[in-house]
Amino acid sequence: MGQEPQIFDAPDGTKMVVLPQADYQRLLHLAEDNEDILSATDQMKRIQGGEGTMPAEVLDYILDDEQHPIAAWRRYREISQAELAFRADVSQVWISRIEAGKGHGTPKTRRRIATALDAPLWALDGEQDMQENERGNGAKSGSALGPKYLPLFEYLIGCDMETVTLSFQKISDIVGGLPKSAYQYPAWWVDGGHSHADAWGNAGFGVNADQRAKVAIFQR
């Protein structure tokens, strides 16, 4: 790190640490990387423990017939898009968009779809899921985003408004959980410089976050 951090006692006795912003940003990156590693490790343990496998027929539909995994699982379960939409409590239009590679769905939506198909969540991701929104709308592509914050990019790019106000809880629901630093530190919401900031930046928005009200205001 650069300068040595300064440590002092707040009036209420709380130990406080002041450090350069660049050092703080590096710590945020390390914390996020650690969250991703823990998530991936947990998923691998579940797979190795036998939680969810992909039948050979589904794999054949994906590889030989070039079907999206959700379409392949539907074919394997012998259900229509309409039936899957009903079981997962989502619109058939959204199921169609995901299968066509034009959408990804929030983590909550994908969990519903996985449950409706009796399929492991990890087995629903297709090659095209990270390539939607490459076709314009005046924003940058979301294909370079990591899977955690891609749903927020999709949500914002689908909003036909100059200003979008979302509670921290709503954003947490969209991306499958926000880190504690998002609730505690305004610097987490600084435009640019972080993978999560690319979610709104690539969608053509800047952000102002109100830590007290726990609300983020996205402005084109």
Side-chain angles (χ1 to χ4, degrees), residues 61-77:
Y61 298 152
I62 294 171
L63 298 179
D64 296 340
D65 298 341
E66 298 184 349
Q67 290 188 327
H68 187 280
I70 291 177
W73 278 95
R74 275 199 309 102
R75 183 175 171 185
Y76 177 71
R77 299 298 186 198

Side-chain angles (χ1 to χ4, degrees), residues 4 6-8 13 19 24 33 38 47 53 56 60-61 83 85 87 115 134 151 177 200-201:
E4 288 293 321
Q6 300 178 22
I7 303 174
F8 63 94
L19 68 164
Y24 171 71
D33 288 345
L38 290 175
I47 293 172
T53 57
D60 287 342
Y61 298 152
E83 177 64 19
R87 293 184 185 183
T115 299
E134 296 237 4
W200 58 80

Side-chain angles (χ1 to χ4, degrees), residues 29-190:
H29 279 303
L30 288 172
E32 288 185 356
D33 288 345
N34 186 56
E35 283 186 8
D36 291 340
I37 291 170
L38 290 175
S39 177
T41 300
D42 180 60
Q43 179 172 317
M44 184 59 68
K45 285 181 179 178
R46 293 200 306 270
I47 293 172
Q48 291 174 342
E51 180 183 313
T53 57
M54 182 180 291
E57 294 95 323
V58 175
L59 186 59
D60 287 342
Y61 298 152
I62 294 171
L63 298 179
D64 296 340
D65 298 341
E66 298 184 349
Q67 290 188 327
H68 187 280
I70 291 177
W73 278 95
R74 275 199 309 102
R75 183 175 171 185
Y76 177 71
R77 299 298 186 198
E78 299 182 341
I79 60 175
S80 65
Q81 283 187 350
E83 177 64 19
L84 175 58
F86 175 77
R87 293 184 185 183
D89 193 24
V90 299
S91 72
Q92 183 179 345
V93 171
W94 193 230
I95 297 291
S96 179
R97 281 180 55 81
I98 295 175
E99 291 186 1
K102 297 179 181 178
H104 185 267
T106 65
K108 184 177 182 180
T109 294
R110 295 181 74 79
R111 284 194 295 271
R112 286 178 177 173
I113 293 173
T115 299
L117 289 169
D118 191 19
L121 185 59
W122 61 265
L124 299 186
D125 289 325
E127 184 178 353
Q128 291 181 323
D129 285 339
M130 300 298 290
Q131 297 175 354
E132 68 270 21
N133 298 308
E134 296 237 4
R135 288 175 281 280
N137 292 326
K140 297 179 182 178
S141 167
S143 61
L145 293 173
K148 180 174 178 61
Y149 294 102
L150 182 59
L152 178 57
F153 168 85
E154 294 173 346
Y155 183 96
L156 290 172
I157 207 170
C159 292
D160 189 22
M161 294 180 287
E162 290 297 310
T163 302
V164 179
T165 302
L166 299 174
S167 68
F168 288 4
Q169 184 57 55
K170 175 63 175 178
I171 298 171
S172 181
D173 291 342
I174 291 172
V175 304
L178 283 174
K180 290 181 180 179
S181 51
Y183 291 88
Q184 296 174 344
Y185 306 114
W188 192 91
W189 297 94
V190 172

